[in-house]
Amino acid sequence: LAERLHAELVGLFVEDANLLRSAALSFVREINLASGQWQAFEPAAIERDMRARAARARRLIEAVARRRHLAFSFQVARGEVGREIAAAAGETDLIVLEGLTEILRGRVQMGSGARAVARQTARTVMVLRHGVLDARNFLVAYEDTPEADRALVIAAQLAAANRATLAVLVIATDSPKAEELRDRANKVLARLGIEGSVEILGEPSLIDLCGFAHRIQHAVLVVGANGAFAKGAAADQLMDQISCPLVLVR
């Protein structure tokens, strides 16, 4: 993606200070999910694991950047995950997060750090579900919000960069508004010179939207961060329910 967008690749590994503080408490233990056994939660072991993970991440980013002739950098920070990412983001165009980091009752969920960043940062965020972007179909929820056109523009740019299809999903409470938004979306696409389909979905629930995206293979869902599907408490539900990569546009 960075290669196709002619962008610099910046890697950041955050050593979670809260995790290290927890490990330093004498009464804290961890449970091995494979064996079901309790074991010591030791700061030294956590430190070693973090250094090993950071080194692997650095080698991976360096290998990819050199292979694709990308400008790149990599840094390690220690602190609260959301705060450190926000501080490093600066004028970053796109923050890419690996979202699946926690296991609960056999179900993989989005980690709290990635969740906080996705909700709170002022930048556009892409949340990957399994650390891989296999994007062949970009879907953008086009609502009657001030940022709708920006979400469409970003979705169109990402689709073009990935040589993927683009589908605009018009979200509206009534037919006149839906027709108005469809016409507006078509004008944006014409201005950009990008082909895409425009489909009126009406007023789907968040679960319906996630289900629609799930049925499209290799899909990426793009939504405005202040729209009905990602504003306030809806953001958490969206991040829990969506099964494909998600882009929150700001």
Side-chain angles (χ1 to χ4, degrees):
L1 181 59
E3 178 185 23
R4 291 169 183 166
L5 293 175
H6 306 290
E8 179 183 357
L9 184 62
V10 180
L12 174 66
F13 184 91
V14 180
E15 297 177 342
D16 191 341
N18 291 331
L19 183 62
L20 289 168
R21 281 194 289 268
S22 297
L25 298 174
S26 60
F27 57 84
V28 174
R29 296 289 184 272
E30 65 175 329
I31 188 168
N32 186 309
L33 292 179
S35 66
Q37 299 297 313
W38 291 98
Q39 60 192 38
F41 196 44
E42 300 175 349
I46 299 299
E47 293 260 12
R48 287 194 300 271
D49 182 65
M50 285 182 173
R51 287 195 296 269
R53 289 173 181 267
R56 286 198 298 270
R58 184 190 297 273
R59 288 194 298 270
L60 176 61
I61 288 179
E62 183 174 358
V64 170
R66 292 193 185 283
R67 185 167 65 248
R68 297 180 179 274
H69 307 289
L70 294 171
F72 75 96
S73 62
F74 188 88
Q75 56 185 299
V76 178
R78 177 173 294 188
E80 192 275 318
V81 175
R83 187 176 295 114
E84 292 298 327
I85 294 177
E91 295 303 311
T92 299
D93 295 309
L94 179 66
I95 299 173
V96 181
L97 302 170
E98 163 57 77
L100 299 183
T101 57
E102 294 182 353
I103 300 177
L104 180 63
R105 296 177 183 175
R107 181 170 177 262
V108 180
Q109 288 189 325
M110 176 173 289
S112 58
R115 186 187 297 271
V117 173
R119 281 200 317 260
Q120 298 169 11
T121 183
R123 316 305 300 177
T124 293
V125 173
M126 175 183 287
V127 181
L128 300 182
R129 306 304 298 178
H130 298 284
V132 176
L133 179 63
D134 183 14
R136 303 182 196 178
N137 301 285
F138 279 81
L139 314 174
V140 55
Y142 195 68
E143 305 174 75
D144 187 20
T145 63
E147 65 198 4
D149 288 351
R150 174 168 169 75
L152 176 51
V153 168
I154 288 178
Q157 291 172 337
L158 291 173
N162 285 277
R163 302 181 181 90
T165 66
L166 173 66
V168 184
L169 310 177
V170 174
I171 312 297
T173 57
D174 56 64
S175 295
K177 177 57 68 175
E179 295 293 340
E180 177 188 330
L181 290 176
R182 181 169 62 181
D183 291 344
R184 196 169 103 192
N186 279 320
K187 289 178 182 177
V188 173
L189 292 176
R191 187 176 73 244
L192 295 173
I194 293 178
E195 293 185 359
S197 63
V198 181
E199 179 178 349
I200 296 176
L201 286 192
E203 195 175 11
S205 68
L206 187 147
I207 300 299
D208 291 337
L209 181 66
C210 291
F212 185 92
H214 179 72
R215 291 190 292 273
I216 307 297
Q217 291 188 338
H218 308 291
V220 177
L221 179 63
V222 182
V223 301
N226 290 316
F229 299 107
K231 188 174 183 179
D236 283 328
Q237 187 179 6
L238 175 62
M239 288 185 279
D240 284 339
Q241 295 293 331
I242 193 69
S243 61
C244 66
L246 171 68
V247 179
L248 297 173
V249 175
R250 293 180 172 85

